[in-house]
């Protein structure tokens, strides 16, 4: 048998990516990959790996994610450097602890930057000048309590946390954006500066523009904040991305 090596002619190099973002998502998250791809510029690559997790969601099951997160990070494009690596779970970050989660990411997949939905949303609310916030989540009461306490510990006045009493990621993704708009209107306190909609499984970024138009105040969602923070860290913008938050980005030479 003859083994031939064929000549290659006319190779056209692929257009270079301006940045590479890695997403470590829960095995049960139906939404975040598509949501992030929709908001990221076409020349920013998104590369994903999944972390072991099963419904129903609880603080205990979310803490157990720490056992598999290092493996998922190591298996995310081994040997290639990424610009930003994201842990794609808001309640999971609260369950593990923000600092602990960032340290796990940093150890599992060294990259130029690391972020979480909690890290990103706190940075986003600060950039918008929001000090008093209403929070809408799909979670049950114990997760909402932990989340509200943590955001308050970071210097925000958490006016209220409104939840939908859910513990199934698949059911969360099944909620229509119109349902999220309706819930957001009910959750927003008159005295709050901004509304934060927590959970990467929610299709909440599709509700941002309608909510901002109705409320007259900025709205931040978990996935929207992730995209915004990743781009802010590397100095890029996202034309057409939803919400006032992206108006705060200014393009510069990537760091």
């Amino acid at each position: 048998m003859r083994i031939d090596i064929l000549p290659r002619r006319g190779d056209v190099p692929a257009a270079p990516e301006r940045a590479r973002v890695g997403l470590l998502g829960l095995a049960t998250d139906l939404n975040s990959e598509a949501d992030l791809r929709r908001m990221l510029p076409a020349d920013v690559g998104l590369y994903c790996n999944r972390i072991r997790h099963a419904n129903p969601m609880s603080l205990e099951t979310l803490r157990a994610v720490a056992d598999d997160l290092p493996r998922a990070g190591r298996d995310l494009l081994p040997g290639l450097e990424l610009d930003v690596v994201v842990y794609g779970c808001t309640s999971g970050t609260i369950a593990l602890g923000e600092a602990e989660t960032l340290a796990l990411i940093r150890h599992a997949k060294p990259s130029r930057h690391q972020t979480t939905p909690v890290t990103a949303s706190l940075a986003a609310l600060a950039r918008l000048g929001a000090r008093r916030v209403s929070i809408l989540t799909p979670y049950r009461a114990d997760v909402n309590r932990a989340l509200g306490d943590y955001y308050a510990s970071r210097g925000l006045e958490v006016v209220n946390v409104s939840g939908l009493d859910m513990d199934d990621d698949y059911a969360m993704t099944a909620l229509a954006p119109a349902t999220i708009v309706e819930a957001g209107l009910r959750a927003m306190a008159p005295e709050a500066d901004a509304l934060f909609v927590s959970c990467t499984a929610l299709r909440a970024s599709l509700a941002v523009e309608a909510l901002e138009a109705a409320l007259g105040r900025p709205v931040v969602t978990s996935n929207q904040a992730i995209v915004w923070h990743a781009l802010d860290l590397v100095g890029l913008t996202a034309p057409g991305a939803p919400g006032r938050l992206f108006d705060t980005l200014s393009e510069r030479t990537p760091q």
Side-chain angles (χ1 to χ4, degrees):
M1 177 174 55
R2 188 180 71 208
I3 306 299
D4 295 326
I5 298 176
L6 299 177
R8 296 180 301 173
R9 295 187 178 89
D11 285 357
V12 178
E17 295 169 320
R18 290 198 292 170
R20 288 175 174 166
V21 176
L23 171 64
L24 300 174
L26 295 188
T28 52
D29 187 342
L30 283 168
N31 178 62
S32 56
E33 289 182 45
D35 215 10
L36 268 59
R37 288 189 196 281
R38 185 174 55 81
M39 289 183 279
L40 284 167
D43 56 1
V44 173
L46 178 68
Y47 302 95
C48 308
N49 206 3
R50 294 301 183 124
I51 308 168
R52 190 176 300 114
H53 179 260
N55 287 311
M57 185 198 80
S58 68
L59 290 172
E60 290 71 28
T61 62
L62 291 169
R63 291 186 187 107
V65 165
D67 296 337
D68 194 46
L69 194 153
R71 188 277 314 162
R74 288 193 303 271
D75 290 346
L76 181 62
L77 294 182
L80 288 183
E81 183 180 23
L82 298 174
D83 295 286
V84 185
V85 176
V86 179
Y87 173 51
C89 184
T90 320
S91 55
T93 303
I94 295 296
L96 294 177
E98 183 188 7
E100 293 83 351
T101 303
L102 290 168
L104 275 171
I105 300 169
R106 195 176 298 114
H107 179 72
K109 180 63 178 179
S111 59
R112 294 168 60 206
H113 305 283
Q114 301 81 35
T115 192
T116 73
V118 173
T119 311
S121 60
L122 286 167
L125 291 166
R127 183 69 60 85
L128 290 164
R131 298 303 303 273
R132 295 173 298 178
V133 297
S134 290
I135 300 177
L136 170 65
T137 88
Y139 316 134
R140 292 192 166 175
D142 59 334
V143 180
N144 287 336
R145 173 72 60 187
L147 187 145
D149 287 346
Y150 185 73
Y151 277 72
S153 77
R154 293 295 303 272
L156 291 171
E157 180 183 340
V158 179
V159 180
N160 61 301
V161 182
S162 300
L164 299 174
D165 196 32
M166 303 174 73
D167 63 3
D168 186 303
D169 280 333
Y170 303 149
M172 294 174 192
T173 302
L175 291 176
T179 300
I180 299 170
V181 171
E182 181 182 344
L185 295 177
R186 293 199 308 268
M188 185 68 169
E191 65 270 33
D193 301 321
L195 175 67
F196 170 52
V197 185
S198 177
C199 190
T200 59
L202 283 183
R203 291 182 289 159
S205 66
L206 297 172
V208 167
E209 292 179 339
L211 278 169
E212 288 191 338
L215 296 170
R217 282 165 285 178
V219 175
V220 174
T221 78
S222 290
N223 286 332
Q224 175 211 37
I226 287 170
V227 170
W228 171 83
H229 198 214
L231 295 176
D232 193 52
L233 287 169
V234 299
L236 299 176
T237 61
R244 300 184 190 181
L245 178 60
F246 286 101
D247 295 337
T248 70
L249 288 175
S250 56
E251 190 152 8
R252 58 195 186 278
T253 302
Q255 301 170 6

